[in-house]
């Protein structure tokens, strides 16, 4: 009896985790790295294809802090929710709530300004082609343009995934779900950010080797950066740079440390999501199927009821079919013009200008 009991215990301990395999270490090896969803599967069913790009994001009914629940419903930020609670605008189970230091579950009734709390939206994701001259913030004390000033007004409350500097351009992701945002920003996710960088100066193999070894500047260590030279002119060079940390102004600082001044910086991909050829200022909603596959949300995400997935800065739908093309291909019809962000060459008339 003792031997059979211990055998059963050993078998239970050796069972794999029911949540599925993690993604640390080798989640992004192979040719499929950083490629967006390509449509229907090819028919080959392998264990590797079944793995999401990051660990499954749990959307369970566990208890959470009430400010987080209100924010997830899309009414406001967590900080604003805490302020509303202090102002007596939130009721919990019919009683005015006095403190945000409380957790709630699906059985609790929450009212905000006398109205029942709406159900949270399904997790959604957009990609935005940020132009130069916009700050990634809801508001700016200096009065500069923000990315939110140029988004269509009919979109839900969005949160940026990471940031791009005021003078930087390219891919900026937005989501309506705070949990999705945090998961995508975690260093443990291991997602690679890729940039096209134009620098003033002559780039040689010495610079490439130094970047690959990592740099410490004023006590701040920057992890190795994969870099290559795509075009070298007399006074300027275009480089391809890939990094995973994404510290504040990282590329500009390490380049300046090497005697190279960045005068244009364009993010072309963030993990598996590509900028493609959407025009500056346009925002495109990514297909629900893509979110399911990348984040392990099978059965948690449904397709949008409306068909609007592409919107320009004016809120109008640009030409083209919405939500039908893979994320790495052109989301709008090509104009026939070769531009810096989409064709890998500096735009005409931009030579010598500094970001």
């Amino acid at each position: 009896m003792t031997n059979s009991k211990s055998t059963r215990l050993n078998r239970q301990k050796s069972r794999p985790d029911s949540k599925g395999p993690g993604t640390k270490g080798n989640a992004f090896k192979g040719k499929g790295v950083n490629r967006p969803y390509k449509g229907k599967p090819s028919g080959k069913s392998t264990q590797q294809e079944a793995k999401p790009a990051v660990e499954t994001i749990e959307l369970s009914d566990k208890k959470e802090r009430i400010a987080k629940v209100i924010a997830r419903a899309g009414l406001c930020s967590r900080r604003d929710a805490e302020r509303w609670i202090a102002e007596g605008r939130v009721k919990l189970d019919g009683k005015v709530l006095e403190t945000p230091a409380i957790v709630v579950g699906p059985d609790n009734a929450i009212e905000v300004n006398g109205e029942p709390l709406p159900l949270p939206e399904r997790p959604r994701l957009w990609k935005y082609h940020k132009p130069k001259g916009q700050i990634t913030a809801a508001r700016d004390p200096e009065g500069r343009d923000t990315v939110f000033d140029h988004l269509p007004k009919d979109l839900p409350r969005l949160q940026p995934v990471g940031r791009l500097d005021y003078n930087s351009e390219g891919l900026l992701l937005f989501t309506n779900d705070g949990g999705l945002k945090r998961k995508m920003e975690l260093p443990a996710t291991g997602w690679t950010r890729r940039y096209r960088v134009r620098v003033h100066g002559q780039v040689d193999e010495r610079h490439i080797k130094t970047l690959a070894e990592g740099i410490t500047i004023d006590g701040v260590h920057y992890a190795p950066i994969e870099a290559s030279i795509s075009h070298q002119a007399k006074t300027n060079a275009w480089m391809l740079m890939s990094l995973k940390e994404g510290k504040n102004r990282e590329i500009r600082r390490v380049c300046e440390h090497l005697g190279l001044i960045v005068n244009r910086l364009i993010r072309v991909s963030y993990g598996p999501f590509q900028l493609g050829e959407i025009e500056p200022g346009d925002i495109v909603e990514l297909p629900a199927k893509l979110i399911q596959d990348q984040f392990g949300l099978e059965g948690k995400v449904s397709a949008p009821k409306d068909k609007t997935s592409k919107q320009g800065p004016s809120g109008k739908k640009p030409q083209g079919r919405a939500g039908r093309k893979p994320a790495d291909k052109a989301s709008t019809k090509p104009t026939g013009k070769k531009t810096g962000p989409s064709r890998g060459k500096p735009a005409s008339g931009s030579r010598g200008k500094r970001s």
Side-chain angles (χ1 to χ4, degrees), residues 147-183:
V147 292
F148 293 97
D149 294 334
H150 299 272
L151 296 183
K153 302 302 180 184
D154 57 346
L155 292 177
R157 179 181 173 273
L158 300 183
Q159 304 175 56
V161 180
R163 293 177 178 270
L164 280 176
D165 294 338
Y166 182 75
N167 288 322
S168 299
E169 313 165 47
L171 178 63
L172 182 62
L173 297 172
F174 285 95
T175 180
N176 65 330
D177 188 272
L180 189 63
K181 166 186 165 69
R182 287 188 294 278
K183 181 67 70 173

Side-chain angles (χ1 to χ4, degrees), residues 7 11 20 27 34 127 134 138 149 189 265 336 339:
T7 302
R11 288 177 179 174
N34 290 313
K127 65 176 182 178
Q134 295 179 8
D149 294 334
T189 301
L265 191 149
T339 61

Side-chain angles (χ1 to χ4, degrees), residues 62-71 78 81-82 84-86 90-111 117:
K62 64 182 181 180
K63 291 190 175 183
E64 298 176 309
R65 291 180 69 92
I66 189 168
K68 182 178 180 180
V69 174
I70 295 174
R78 281 201 237 179
E82 292 175 354
W84 288 2
I85 292 171
V90 178
K91 287 185 178 181
L92 177 62
D93 297 330
K95 297 181 180 180
V96 176
L97 195 61
E98 298 179 352
T99 174
I102 189 171
V103 294
V104 295
D107 296 331
N108 294 112
I110 304 173
E111 296 180 25
L117 188 70

Side-chain angles (χ1 to χ4, degrees), residues 199-208 229 231-239 255 258-261:
V199 296
H200 179 74
Q202 291 286 327
V203 183
D204 55 37
E205 291 302 321
R206 174 178 54 88
H207 296 111
I208 304 300
I229 305 170
H231 178 74
Q232 177 72 69
K234 291 183 179 180
T235 58
N236 288 286
W238 278 94
M239 303 174 64
C255 286
L258 297 176
L260 305 170
I261 305 302

Side-chain angles (χ1 to χ4, degrees), residues 195-204 207-208 211 225 227-241 250-266 346 350-355:
Y195 299 82
R196 283 191 50 76
V197 185
R198 188 179 67 188
V199 296
H200 179 74
Q202 291 286 327
V203 183
D204 55 37
H207 296 111
I208 304 300
L211 290 170
I225 298 176
S228 62
I229 305 170
S230 59
H231 178 74
Q232 177 72 69
K234 291 183 179 180
T235 58
N236 288 286
W238 278 94
M239 303 174 64
L240 295 174
M241 303 182 71
E250 179 170 350
I251 290 180
R252 297 180 187 275
R253 286 175 176 169
V254 297
C255 286
E256 183 178 358
H257 181 74
L258 297 176
L260 305 170
I261 305 302
V262 174
N263 49 37
R264 195 168 183 192
L265 191 149
I266 307 162
S350 61
R351 182 176 296 176
K353 295 183 180 179
R354 297 182 59 181
S355 300

